[in-house]
Amino acid sequence: MTRLHLKDFWRYSKQQMEKRNEQRVLVCGGPGCLARGSQAVYEALLDASGRVGGTGTVVEHAAHMVGCHGLCDQGPLVIIEPQGTFYTHVNPEMAPRIYHETLRGGRVVEDFLYSSGTGRRIARYADIPFYQRQQKIALRNVGAVDPEDINDYVALGGYRAAAKALEDLSPEDVIGWVKDSQLRGRGGAGFPTGRKWEVCAQAPGENRYVIANGDEGDPGAFMDRTIMEGDPHSLLEGMMIGAYAVGASEGFIYVREEYPLAVERLKGAIGQAESLGLLGDDILGIPGFCFNLSVRRGGGAFVCGEATALINSLEGRLGEPRGSYVVPAVRGYNQQPTALNNVETFCVIPEIINKGPAWFAAIGSEASRGTKTFSLVGRAVHIGLIEVPMGMSLREIIYDVGGGIEDGRTFKAVQTGGPSGGCLSAEYLDLPVDFDALEEAGSMMGSGGLIVMDETTCMVDVARYFLSFLRDESCGQCVPCREGLFQLTAIFDRIVSGEGQESDLAAVEELAVAMQEGSLCGLGQSASNPVLSTLRHFRGEYTAHIREKCCPAGVCRALTAYVIDVERCRACGRCLEVCPPQCIAVSQGVYTIDREACTRCGACSAACPFAAISREGCVQ
Amino acid sequence: MMNLYVNDELVQAQQGQTLLLVCEQSGIDVPTLCFHPGLEATGNCRLCSVEIRRSGWEAGATDVVCACLFPAEEDLEVWTDTERVRRLRRLIVEMLWARDPRSPALLALAEKVGVNKQRLNTYGQSRRCILCSTCVRVCGELGADAISMGYRGVDKKVTTPFDRPTEDCIGCGACAHACPVGTIYFHEHGWERQVRRQTFRLLPCSGCGEPCNTSEERIHLSEVLGIPMEEASQCPTCKRRSVGGGMVDIQRR
Amino acid sequence: MKELTELRSIVDKYGENPEYILEALHDIQSRYRHVPEPALDIIAERMKVKKSRVFSLVSFYKALSFEPQGEKNIRVCMGTACHLKGASQVKEEIEAVLDVAAGETTADGRYSLHEVNCVGACSMAPVVIIGDSYEGQATRDRVRTLLDNDGSEEESR
């Protein structure tokens, strides 16, 4: 490929876009679908369509492995465009019918379609409630574009925003547009992106840098992974526009080490963009506009998601946050002005340039404009990746998009913001999802994990889970975070083992506040949020653990017991075989568990063919 | 020069000065463990936290910042001893004290900030180091870089590679002298010096002939830091006499 | 000797810039399944930093280890969704089957067991990754069967 000049680019873009109306078969290659075997489905489709000599050439129809389409619990997914036909739970045996009946015959295979709760079959994904309420900006191409083919991205209008910015807008204009769009950073804290870029552009420095934070470490969040794996060029284009705006000629994408596919896809995308003249020196033939981009792997440290820790790690130092009060936009990488944004933030930029700031600012709520991606996980019926306008209520997200709580159980809490966020109870279901509303309620937007919990979840256990996660991940640099987490986990360990005391809650609150006020970085300052929010909204559960020595949800081991339901028990003896401490006794055909000896491992319950053994809370 | 207020008194500061320095100049005591005047501040111990209010903030809005890092700014209001600050400091000291309940340095500090009993959870085995990283920074500033902060979180510790004696250590003992809680072992006996777990032989001072410093230190001073060997082989007393300058220490660089 | 030459050539790829210590360490870790001690000296010498700095990086980052890892990594996702759906029980079962604790390697060097933070496959929680293969909706029975089969497969080869 030759490096394109602006004029050639527009011609090339037009050519590619015209090809888009052709029929395409998209096989979801998101993490969920891949894990369920979608690669084999793709291969089977190629086989069915008569690939030639194993080279992957498809005779008539273009089959592509694409990024996450969103509805992970229904995977593996196969989508036929432009019709939007949506097949769920696809296995390789279904491939010949998809090929012959749908692709060649133009008929929908009824049996393969999505089935709603009421058993109604829905042919097009756009008509499925899960998708109906969504609006995709950051995820606009994910699940539609072949992430390994720059032509496909260009066919979807890719790099037109970058070309437009270079041709029609000055760097100041770009910053002005981003400011007018009122875009706030999608990494968690929600700082206005335009202002950050302006500070960076105006700060004194010899060089400027653009960095994308792809160190997505929140448990329960996989939005950035999905974007980097499913639509890497969007990120590249957003960064390129950012580099133009702030005057940077070098940039980095810092990717979590656990995402090797993202690293591979991004490196591939960078190579393709360079060879087309969209990255490197004199981009699109414009003398002097150079932007070199490279990918760096993280080392497996949650704290490196914090901006200054990320920069330290990038510089080959220990990935610990910097205590300095000077922001990276002024003094960041190599002590130079650095525009560091989250992956999702960069991915939104091209659409703002394409459609204008007013278009973006018209979406969402007053203080939080645009859309936000979430990974909706936990106990919801539909689990997956979604993007909704800001300001949508938690109820709409969980019930309309997510389809409610699985197995007909009751909603108990939703956790947002990962280890920096908090748990909100049912009374907050009508809370609009925006940066400020969530923070006021004691939680946080965070990067966008949304974990739905039902009555089988113990909130004390959830708080303890986040504490132990954070204790393992704290860098240990400052006292309040390191020692606070040590102290809090020690107290929580006591509470869940039935040794909690009334005075513990006061100590917990005191320590939690000290961590908020005294910690060096944002992660430490927010590390006690899961504790404080559960204490605020679910205090009763704490007192049950402490006073009654009881775990109402039946989760905390020491406070619960396995009980055999004599009505259901068929005396098959399976539990006896699997019980590690051999604590099940049989007397005249009646099985009982010795509570003292039982380790609550749950092996008996898992092995019982008659579901006669269950774990009970509040038994003491 | 700029004007700001510390504990409601007008004080002056220069551009780039930190609040800790401003307080010190105004004779206001702000406790700290990890701050060392010759080293870059890190803000690890958070003991020097102070409450501030920036001009233009809403009425009543204040924030807590770390004085050793926060730069002075025009019209800033700083309070070093509010209830909010005292509460935080007390808890920081309590948490550190729980690491090593027998530490005399921490006991003194606890008394100073008004902590009189230990109520927090202790570690199974006392952890005498407070992980302030002063020793590591001193060692780095000297160019030896023999020790570093290893591991992370509660497992973090000051260590040499694999916790073994390291040839990068020059036996200067700067780490031990800089330690705010006196945790690092430093002992001299005759012509022998022990630093951490490494033993060094001392060479005589070229002036008075008394045990002076280690040959590793002399080589490091002359080859890495470019200090003439003559000077590097003298004890502080003889050096003062002959050069009239200060001793070779980190502040010299 | 061969190892030293190989280590040098891995490190040499990155030149003298200490920014690339982590990248070089990643490459070394994936080649040897751990970071051998001589690597620290080679990196220190090549990138002109002290060994203590390289040591602190390896000990800080979870992706790097001084202890050799097993031929196959078993990763149990401890993400929030997996936690809610019983990841701990699954982990305990694996610990019992392999007779190791999380973070350890089996005596025969075949498996290393790790607890990992969210792998982004929350839709199939709880998730266990054996080698490169994802196992969703993992249960005690399922992982036991998988590990038994995995073992016998390797033996029959």
PDB file of all heavy atoms in Angstrom, chain A residues 145-165:
ATOM      1  N   VAL A 145     -17.400  -4.394  12.552  1.00  0.00           N
ATOM      2  CA  VAL A 145     -16.221  -4.199  11.715  1.00  0.00           C
ATOM      3  C   VAL A 145     -15.252  -5.367  11.905  1.00  0.00           C
ATOM      4  O   VAL A 145     -15.172  -5.948  12.988  1.00  0.00           O
ATOM      5  CB  VAL A 145     -15.534  -2.852  12.070  1.00  0.00           C
ATOM      6  CG1 VAL A 145     -14.847  -2.915  13.423  1.00  0.00           C
ATOM      7  CG2 VAL A 145     -14.548  -2.436  10.993  1.00  0.00           C
ATOM      8  N   ASP A 146     -14.553  -5.699  10.843  1.00  0.00           N
ATOM      9  CA  ASP A 146     -13.502  -6.703  10.953  1.00  0.00           C
ATOM     10  C   ASP A 146     -12.294  -6.007  11.581  1.00  0.00           C
ATOM     11  O   ASP A 146     -11.682  -5.132  10.968  1.00  0.00           O
ATOM     12  CB  ASP A 146     -13.141  -7.241   9.569  1.00  0.00           C
ATOM     13  CG  ASP A 146     -12.112  -8.361   9.651  1.00  0.00           C
ATOM     14  OD1 ASP A 146     -11.339  -8.377  10.621  1.00  0.00           O
ATOM     15  OD2 ASP A 146     -12.084  -9.197   8.733  1.00  0.00           O
ATOM     16  N   PRO A 147     -11.955  -6.372  12.813  1.00  0.00           N
ATOM     17  CA  PRO A 147     -10.921  -5.607  13.517  1.00  0.00           C
ATOM     18  C   PRO A 147      -9.527  -5.754  12.913  1.00  0.00           C
ATOM     19  O   PRO A 147      -8.619  -5.019  13.280  1.00  0.00           O
ATOM     20  CB  PRO A 147     -10.954  -6.169  14.948  1.00  0.00           C
ATOM     21  CG  PRO A 147     -11.637  -7.478  14.858  1.00  0.00           C
ATOM     22  CD  PRO A 147     -12.504  -7.467  13.642  1.00  0.00           C
ATOM     23  N   GLU A 148      -9.389  -6.695  12.005  1.00  0.00           N
ATOM     24  CA  GLU A 148      -8.057  -6.899  11.434  1.00  0.00           C
ATOM     25  C   GLU A 148      -7.921  -6.288  10.059  1.00  0.00           C
ATOM     26  O   GLU A 148      -6.935  -6.505   9.369  1.00  0.00           O
ATOM     27  CB  GLU A 148      -7.729  -8.400  11.429  1.00  0.00           C
ATOM     28  CG  GLU A 148      -7.605  -8.926  12.859  1.00  0.00           C
ATOM     29  CD  GLU A 148      -7.228 -10.385  12.957  1.00  0.00           C
ATOM     30  OE1 GLU A 148      -7.214 -11.064  11.904  1.00  0.00           O
ATOM     31  OE2 GLU A 148      -6.955 -10.839  14.080  1.00  0.00           O
ATOM     32  N   ASP A 149      -8.934  -5.549   9.638  1.00  0.00           N
ATOM     33  CA  ASP A 149      -8.905  -5.025   8.275  1.00  0.00           C
ATOM     34  C   ASP A 149      -9.223  -3.536   8.256  1.00  0.00           C
ATOM     35  O   ASP A 149     -10.353  -3.117   8.491  1.00  0.00           O
ATOM     36  CB  ASP A 149      -9.928  -5.797   7.425  1.00  0.00           C
ATOM     37  CG  ASP A 149      -9.901  -5.362   5.975  1.00  0.00           C
ATOM     38  OD1 ASP A 149      -9.053  -4.520   5.608  1.00  0.00           O
ATOM     39  OD2 ASP A 149     -10.738  -5.856   5.206  1.00  0.00           O
ATOM     40  N   ILE A 150      -8.216  -2.742   7.967  1.00  0.00           N
ATOM     41  CA  ILE A 150      -8.412  -1.290   7.961  1.00  0.00           C
ATOM     42  C   ILE A 150      -9.414  -0.866   6.878  1.00  0.00           C
ATOM     43  O   ILE A 150     -10.165   0.091   7.054  1.00  0.00           O
ATOM     44  CB  ILE A 150      -7.058  -0.540   7.806  1.00  0.00           C
ATOM     45  CG1 ILE A 150      -7.230   0.967   8.060  1.00  0.00           C
ATOM     46  CG2 ILE A 150      -6.438  -0.785   6.445  1.00  0.00           C
ATOM     47  CD1 ILE A 150      -5.934   1.718   8.194  1.00  0.00           C
ATOM     48  N   ASN A 151      -9.460  -1.613   5.772  1.00  0.00           N
ATOM     49  CA  ASN A 151     -10.409  -1.267   4.709  1.00  0.00           C
ATOM     50  C   ASN A 151     -11.841  -1.341   5.208  1.00  0.00           C
ATOM     51  O   ASN A 151     -12.695  -0.548   4.824  1.00  0.00           O
ATOM     52  CB  ASN A 151     -10.246  -2.214   3.511  1.00  0.00           C
ATOM     53  CG  ASN A 151      -8.920  -1.986   2.811  1.00  0.00           C
ATOM     54  OD1 ASN A 151      -8.446  -0.844   2.717  1.00  0.00           O
ATOM     55  ND2 ASN A 151      -8.290  -3.060   2.359  1.00  0.00           N
ATOM     56  N   ASP A 152     -12.082  -2.332   6.057  1.00  0.00           N
ATOM     57  CA  ASP A 152     -13.421  -2.499   6.596  1.00  0.00           C
ATOM     58  C   ASP A 152     -13.783  -1.314   7.489  1.00  0.00           C
ATOM     59  O   ASP A 152     -14.907  -0.833   7.484  1.00  0.00           O
ATOM     60  CB  ASP A 152     -13.484  -3.816   7.382  1.00  0.00           C
ATOM     61  CG  ASP A 152     -14.872  -4.433   7.341  1.00  0.00           C
ATOM     62  OD1 ASP A 152     -15.530  -4.352   6.279  1.00  0.00           O
ATOM     63  OD2 ASP A 152     -15.296  -4.983   8.369  1.00  0.00           O
ATOM     64  N   TYR A 153     -12.808  -0.861   8.254  1.00  0.00           N
ATOM     65  CA  TYR A 153     -13.042   0.300   9.118  1.00  0.00           C
ATOM     66  C   TYR A 153     -13.310   1.541   8.265  1.00  0.00           C
ATOM     67  O   TYR A 153     -14.232   2.312   8.545  1.00  0.00           O
ATOM     68  CB  TYR A 153     -11.827   0.522  10.031  1.00  0.00           C
ATOM     69  CG  TYR A 153     -11.953   1.719  10.943  1.00  0.00           C
ATOM     70  CD1 TYR A 153     -12.863   1.728  11.999  1.00  0.00           C
ATOM     71  CD2 TYR A 153     -11.163   2.862  10.749  1.00  0.00           C
ATOM     72  CE1 TYR A 153     -12.980   2.826  12.834  1.00  0.00           C
ATOM     73  CE2 TYR A 153     -11.283   3.958  11.584  1.00  0.00           C
ATOM     74  CZ  TYR A 153     -12.189   3.938  12.628  1.00  0.00           C
ATOM     75  OH  TYR A 153     -12.311   5.031  13.456  1.00  0.00           O
ATOM     76  N   VAL A 154     -12.539   1.691   7.221  1.00  0.00           N
ATOM     77  CA  VAL A 154     -12.729   2.840   6.336  1.00  0.00           C
ATOM     78  C   VAL A 154     -14.085   2.747   5.640  1.00  0.00           C
ATOM     79  O   VAL A 154     -14.773   3.745   5.434  1.00  0.00           O
ATOM     80  CB  VAL A 154     -11.561   2.941   5.326  1.00  0.00           C
ATOM     81  CG1 VAL A 154     -11.822   4.022   4.288  1.00  0.00           C
ATOM     82  CG2 VAL A 154     -10.267   3.245   6.075  1.00  0.00           C
ATOM     83  N   ALA A 155     -14.498   1.527   5.334  1.00  0.00           N
ATOM     84  CA  ALA A 155     -15.803   1.337   4.699  1.00  0.00           C
ATOM     85  C   ALA A 155     -16.945   1.781   5.610  1.00  0.00           C
ATOM     86  O   ALA A 155     -18.034   2.124   5.148  1.00  0.00           O
ATOM     87  CB  ALA A 155     -15.980  -0.131   4.317  1.00  0.00           C
ATOM     88  N   LEU A 156     -16.693   1.777   6.923  1.00  0.00           N
ATOM     89  CA  LEU A 156     -17.716   2.242   7.873  1.00  0.00           C
ATOM     90  C   LEU A 156     -17.548   3.732   8.170  1.00  0.00           C
ATOM     91  O   LEU A 156     -18.106   4.251   9.126  1.00  0.00           O
ATOM     92  CB  LEU A 156     -17.594   1.445   9.174  1.00  0.00           C
ATOM     93  CG  LEU A 156     -18.191   0.044   9.146  1.00  0.00           C
ATOM     94  CD1 LEU A 156     -17.652  -0.786  10.292  1.00  0.00           C
ATOM     95  CD2 LEU A 156     -19.704   0.103   9.237  1.00  0.00           C
ATOM     96  N   GLY A 157     -16.761   4.405   7.337  1.00  0.00           N
ATOM     97  CA  GLY A 157     -16.567   5.840   7.534  1.00  0.00           C
ATOM     98  C   GLY A 157     -15.353   6.154   8.375  1.00  0.00           C
ATOM     99  O   GLY A 157     -15.181   7.294   8.830  1.00  0.00           O
ATOM    100  N   GLY A 158     -14.525   5.154   8.606  1.00  0.00           N
ATOM    101  CA  GLY A 158     -13.359   5.342   9.449  1.00  0.00           C
ATOM    102  C   GLY A 158     -12.341   6.312   8.871  1.00  0.00           C
ATOM    103  O   GLY A 158     -12.187   6.411   7.651  1.00  0.00           O
ATOM    104  N   TYR A 159     -11.670   7.007   9.755  1.00  0.00           N
ATOM    105  CA  TYR A 159     -10.612   7.994   9.463  1.00  0.00           C
ATOM    106  C   TYR A 159     -11.115   9.237   8.726  1.00  0.00           C
ATOM    107  O   TYR A 159     -10.333  10.104   8.380  1.00  0.00           O
ATOM    108  CB  TYR A 159      -9.434   7.349   8.720  1.00  0.00           C
ATOM    109  CG  TYR A 159      -8.616   6.450   9.627  1.00  0.00           C
ATOM    110  CD1 TYR A 159      -8.612   5.062   9.452  1.00  0.00           C
ATOM    111  CD2 TYR A 159      -7.885   6.983  10.677  1.00  0.00           C
ATOM    112  CE1 TYR A 159      -7.886   4.232  10.320  1.00  0.00           C
ATOM    113  CE2 TYR A 159      -7.161   6.160  11.539  1.00  0.00           C
ATOM    114  CZ  TYR A 159      -7.165   4.797  11.352  1.00  0.00           C
ATOM    115  OH  TYR A 159      -6.460   3.996  12.209  1.00  0.00           O
ATOM    116  N   ARG A 160     -12.429   9.306   8.490  1.00  0.00           N
ATOM    117  CA  ARG A 160     -12.948  10.533   7.875  1.00  0.00           C
ATOM    118  C   ARG A 160     -12.890  11.693   8.869  1.00  0.00           C
ATOM    119  O   ARG A 160     -12.680  12.842   8.491  1.00  0.00           O
ATOM    120  CB  ARG A 160     -14.387  10.328   7.388  1.00  0.00           C
ATOM    121  CG  ARG A 160     -14.487   9.413   6.179  1.00  0.00           C
ATOM    122  CD  ARG A 160     -15.941   9.204   5.761  1.00  0.00           C
ATOM    123  NE  ARG A 160     -16.490  10.337   5.033  1.00  0.00           N
ATOM    124  CZ  ARG A 160     -16.448  10.461   3.709  1.00  0.00           C
ATOM    125  NH1 ARG A 160     -15.860   9.526   2.975  1.00  0.00           N
ATOM    126  NH2 ARG A 160     -16.978  11.494   3.104  1.00  0.00           N
ATOM    127  N   ALA A 161     -13.100  11.365  10.150  1.00  0.00           N
ATOM    128  CA  ALA A 161     -13.045  12.430  11.160  1.00  0.00           C
ATOM    129  C   ALA A 161     -11.630  12.998  11.248  1.00  0.00           C
ATOM    130  O   ALA A 161     -11.438  14.212  11.329  1.00  0.00           O
ATOM    131  CB  ALA A 161     -13.490  11.890  12.515  1.00  0.00           C
ATOM    132  N   ALA A 162     -10.650  12.106  11.219  1.00  0.00           N
ATOM    133  CA  ALA A 162      -9.260  12.562  11.288  1.00  0.00           C
ATOM    134  C   ALA A 162      -8.937  13.432  10.077  1.00  0.00           C
ATOM    135  O   ALA A 162      -8.339  14.505  10.195  1.00  0.00           O
ATOM    136  CB  ALA A 162      -8.323  11.367  11.368  1.00  0.00           C
ATOM    137  N   ALA A 163      -9.353  12.961   8.898  1.00  0.00           N
ATOM    138  CA  ALA A 163      -9.080  13.726   7.678  1.00  0.00           C
ATOM    139  C   ALA A 163      -9.782  15.085   7.723  1.00  0.00           C
ATOM    140  O   ALA A 163      -9.211  16.112   7.359  1.00  0.00           O
ATOM    141  CB  ALA A 163      -9.533  12.930   6.458  1.00  0.00           C
ATOM    142  N   LYS A 164     -11.007  15.057   8.227  1.00  0.00           N
ATOM    143  CA  LYS A 164     -11.758  16.307   8.335  1.00  0.00           C
ATOM    144  C   LYS A 164     -11.065  17.281   9.294  1.00  0.00           C
ATOM    145  O   LYS A 164     -10.930  18.473   8.999  1.00  0.00           O
ATOM    146  CB  LYS A 164     -13.174  16.003   8.840  1.00  0.00           C
ATOM    147  CG  LYS A 164     -14.037  17.220   9.104  1.00  0.00           C
ATOM    148  CD  LYS A 164     -15.423  16.777   9.581  1.00  0.00           C
ATOM    149  CE  LYS A 164     -16.257  17.952  10.066  1.00  0.00           C
ATOM    150  NZ  LYS A 164     -17.586  17.524  10.535  1.00  0.00           N
ATOM    151  N   ALA A 165     -10.627  16.756  10.433  1.00  0.00           N
ATOM    152  CA  ALA A 165      -9.951  17.616  11.407  1.00  0.00           C
ATOM    153  C   ALA A 165      -8.701  18.236  10.789  1.00  0.00           C
ATOM    154  O   ALA A 165      -8.458  19.440  10.915  1.00  0.00           O
ATOM    155  CB  ALA A 165      -9.585  16.817  12.657  1.00  0.00           C
TER     156      ALA A 165
END
